[in-house]
């Protein structure tokens, strides 16, 4: 929120003044700005604020992120001219469905995914790039992580074909970590269900 205030106030709010304010005052200042002029606020990766590893805690904010839960509630319940976008790999349970709209984003289409991979200057024929896009369902972050690994790893030396022939299951450590984080935030019941489904 601190950065939003500095940016949106056009110098009226400074770091020195803002440091003295508590969360309530910062939120009040931000809402005042949003009422006075239309803005677009983007809270990227909001899922990092959610609870992890606690039963019945899925979709809810972690205790040390309570200020964000309160801030988001104020932003959504106060009349203003602005638009707010939350990006998240998971639903945010405490955001009221009456004033929010959830949009599920699909992966990139094949042409866009291939263009993303080509940015990394990999050695590959069109068929290999297309297959890699399909295997990762056009997921831009997954493609970016894998392309960087193929480019930078001495084993693959930028060669997509070597990577794909040496790995039957194309799950790399960074993608595993992201999946582990999401699974850790599931309730005990959800984790049990997921575990049983995975057997099949």
């Amino acid at each position: 929120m601190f950065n939003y205030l500095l940016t949106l106030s056009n110098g009226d709010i400074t770091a020195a003044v803002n440091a003295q304010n508590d969360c309530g005052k910062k939120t009040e200042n931000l809402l005042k700005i949003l009422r006075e002029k239309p803005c677009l606020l983007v809270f990227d990766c909001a899922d990092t604020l959610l609870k992890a590893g606690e039963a019945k805690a899925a979709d809810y904010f972690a205790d040390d992120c309570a200020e964000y839960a309160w801030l988001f509630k104020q932003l959504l319940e106060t009349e203003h001219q602005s638009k707010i976008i939350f990006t998240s790999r998971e639903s945010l349970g405490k955001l009221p469905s009456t004033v929010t709209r959830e949009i599920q984003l699909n992966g990139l289409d094949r042409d866009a995914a291939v263009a993303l991979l080509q940015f990394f200057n990999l050695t590959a024929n069109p068929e290999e790039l297309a297959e890699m896009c399909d295997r990762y369902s056009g997921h831009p972050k997954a493609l970016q992580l894998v392309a960087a690994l193929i480019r930078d790893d001495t084993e693959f030396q930028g060669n997509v074909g070597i990577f794909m022939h040496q790995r039957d299951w194309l799950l790399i450590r960074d993608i595993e970590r992201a999946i582990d984080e999401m699974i850790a935030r599931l309730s005990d019941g959800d984790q049990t269900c997921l575990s049983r489904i995975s057997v099949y």
Side-chain angles (χ1 to χ4, degrees):
M1 180 174 20
F2 175 72
N3 289 334
Y4 281 127
L5 284 173
L6 294 182
T7 303
L8 297 175
S9 70
N10 291 325
D12 294 339
I13 297 175
T14 64
V17 171
N18 198 63
Q20 300 167 4
N21 295 335
D22 62 10
C23 180
K25 185 65 175 171
K26 289 175 185 172
T27 301
E28 183 183 317
N29 288 336
L30 181 59
L31 289 171
K32 181 175 182 285
I33 292 169
L34 297 181
R35 280 192 292 268
E36 291 173 354
K37 60 182 176 183
C39 303
L40 173 63
L41 295 183
V42 179
F43 292 92
D44 195 21
C45 299
D47 52 287
T48 58
L49 305 172
L50 301 179
K51 288 186 179 180
E54 296 180 36
K56 300 178 183 174
D59 302 346
Y60 290 89
F61 290 90
D63 296 335
D64 59 346
C65 296
E67 287 183 355
Y68 283 98
W70 186 78
L71 168 66
F72 292 170
K73 185 173 186 292
Q74 298 304 309
L75 289 172
L76 295 172
E77 292 180 354
T78 303
E79 270 192 47
H80 53 75
Q81 307 176 57
S82 300
K83 300 293 181 191
I84 304 167
I85 296 175
F86 302 94
T87 68
S88 176
R89 292 175 295 190
E90 303 167 47
S91 294
L92 303 176
K94 286 209 171 176
L95 300 185
S97 58
T98 53
V99 292
T100 60
R101 186 168 54 133
E102 189 170 302
I103 301 171
Q104 183 173 343
L105 300 178
N106 297 319
L108 301 172
D109 64 39
R110 185 181 283 177
D111 290 341
V114 167
L116 174 63
L117 292 175
Q118 288 171 337
F119 174 77
F120 288 87
N121 295 319
L122 303 173
T123 303
N125 61 45
E127 292 76 20
E128 288 170 336
L129 291 178
E131 184 182 348
M132 197 158 121
C133 296
D134 292 344
R135 287 205 190 179
Y136 288 102
S137 302
H139 190 290
K141 187 63 176 177
L143 291 171
Q144 183 181 6
L145 291 169
V146 172
L149 172 71
I150 295 169
R151 180 194 62 203
D152 299 336
D153 192 278
T154 55
E155 180 182 359
F156 307 119
Q157 299 180 10
N159 192 303
V160 172
I162 294 173
F163 174 80
M164 296 188 67
H165 286 105
Q166 289 187 6
R167 299 174 70 93
D168 294 329
W169 179 241
L170 303 179
L171 199 60
I172 65 170
R173 190 176 298 117
D174 289 333
I175 297 175
E176 284 180 346
R177 191 178 304 119
I179 292 171
D180 288 344
E181 288 171 5
M182 287 187 280
I183 291 173
R185 281 194 282 273
L186 296 175
S187 68
D188 290 343
D190 290 340
Q191 288 188 26
T192 300
C193 181
L194 185 62
S195 175
R196 290 182 180 166
I197 290 171
S198 69
V199 170
Y200 301 101

